């Protein structure tokens, strides 16, 4: 089983969402999964141009940038875990741009062509109430469901205003997200 992780925080190694993502993927790897992480905060990811080129060119995006290797990895993966901080009640702008670029896989027989795939979402936030941004999280999950992914976990990690501040309980929660994909 191949699982790819998409990290998106600009905080680097101390990022709560990236730490939760790595923890999830490490747990999956320990159970035999092959894992790979892309950090879209450090990659050139353009906004979608909305030119519908992908609709006439079988899943291929007209834009050539950091999404190129990610598109290929998504085609080949069995599961994708997306990790994003919450910025002003929503996923970050960079994460939203990444999701928009998956329009290349929309209204095409994507999962029929490339196999069944699972999706899990990790978000981190300052607010302790982990249901506070459920609406934004559900919309992101819906985008992946729309292109054929089976949604497995949609989990928020609260109280994370400080970098590198996951609690032991949150680390255990992250491990389960990885294990649930196998
Ligand atoms: C620009 C910005 C906006 C934020 N907006 C929110 C918010 O609306 N609600 C919230 O609970 N936390 C908010 N936060 C806090 C982050 O979501 C929190 O620190 C999170 O753990 C960051 O994840 P990271 O360490 O992976 O970057 C915001 C942080 C920044 C920098």
């Amino acid at each position: 089983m191949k699982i790819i992780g998409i990290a998106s925080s600009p905080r680097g190694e101390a990022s709560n969402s990236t730490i939760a993502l790595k923890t999830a993927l490490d747990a999956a790897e320990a159970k035999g999964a092959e894992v790979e992480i892309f950090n879209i905060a450090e990659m050139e990811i353009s906004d979608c141009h909305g030119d519908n080129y992908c609709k006439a060119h079988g899943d291929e995006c007209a834009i050539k940038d950091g999404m190129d290797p990610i598109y290929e990895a998504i085609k080949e993966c069995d599961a994708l875990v997306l990790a994003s901080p919450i910025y002003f009640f929503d996923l970050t702008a960079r994460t939203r741009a990444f999701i928009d670029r998956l329009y290349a896989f929309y209204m095409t027989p994507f999962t029929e062509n490339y196999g069944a795939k699972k999706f899990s979402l990790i978000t981190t936030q300052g607010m302790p109430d982990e249901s506070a941004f459920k609406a934004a999280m559900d919309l992101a999950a819906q985008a992946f469901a729309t292109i054929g992914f089976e949604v497995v976990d949609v989990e928020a990690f609260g109280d994370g205003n400080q970098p590198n501040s996951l609690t032991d309980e949150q680390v255990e929660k992250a491990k389960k997200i990885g294990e649930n994909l196998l």
Side-chain angles (χ1 to χ4, degrees):
M1 173 171 216
K2 184 164 185 194
I3 305 176
I4 64 166
I6 305 292
S8 64
S9 167
R11 272 185 177 170
E13 292 295 311
S15 150
N16 293 318
S17 56
T18 303
I19 291 168
L21 175 67
K22 284 183 176 161
T23 304
L25 266 52
D26 283 352
E29 193 173 32
K31 293 210 171 242
E34 185 189 337
V35 303
E36 182 176 14
I37 293 183
F38 295 91
N39 187 343
I40 58 173
E42 295 171 353
M43 299 169 81
E44 200 184 316
I45 308 279
S46 165
D47 288 335
C48 174
H49 290 176
D51 52 27
N52 278 3
Y53 177 96
C54 54
K55 302 293 158 267
H57 294 83
D59 298 342
E60 194 193 330
C61 182
I63 307 166
K64 300 299 167 208
D65 62 5
M67 281 300 288
D68 293 344
I70 300 180
Y71 282 136
E72 291 313 307
I74 295 176
K75 287 175 185 173
E76 288 168 17
C77 79
D78 302 293
L80 184 152
V81 184
L82 174 61
S84 176
I86 294 291
Y87 281 2
F88 283 108
F89 312 95
D90 204 345
L91 309 189
T92 64
R94 176 56 59 104
T95 309
R96 285 291 328 161
F98 164 73
I99 293 173
D100 284 352
R101 292 288 298 282
L102 300 181
Y103 191 64
F105 297 151
Y106 174 64
M107 288 171 69
T108 64
F110 176 64
T111 49
E112 279 171 42
N113 288 347
Y114 300 109
K117 298 177 195 300
K118 296 178 179 178
F119 171 75
S120 289
L121 176 67
I122 289 169
T123 58
T124 51
Q125 59 186 59
M127 273 186 70
D129 176 4
E130 292 177 344
S131 65
F133 308 108
K134 186 176 182 305
M137 296 165 69
D138 286 347
L139 284 176
Q142 201 178 335
F144 281 84
T146 299
I147 58 170
F149 282 71
E150 175 198 346
V151 177
V152 178
D153 280 311
V154 175
E155 292 288 349
F157 292 70
D159 225 353
N161 273 326
Q162 295 307 314
N164 198 5
S165 61
L166 290 193
T167 62
D168 291 347
E169 195 184 323
Q170 288 175 326
V171 168
E172 288 308 309
K173 182 162 113 171
K175 284 182 187 168
K176 285 210 174 62
I177 292 170
E179 291 167 357
N180 285 346
L181 293 169
L182 284 105

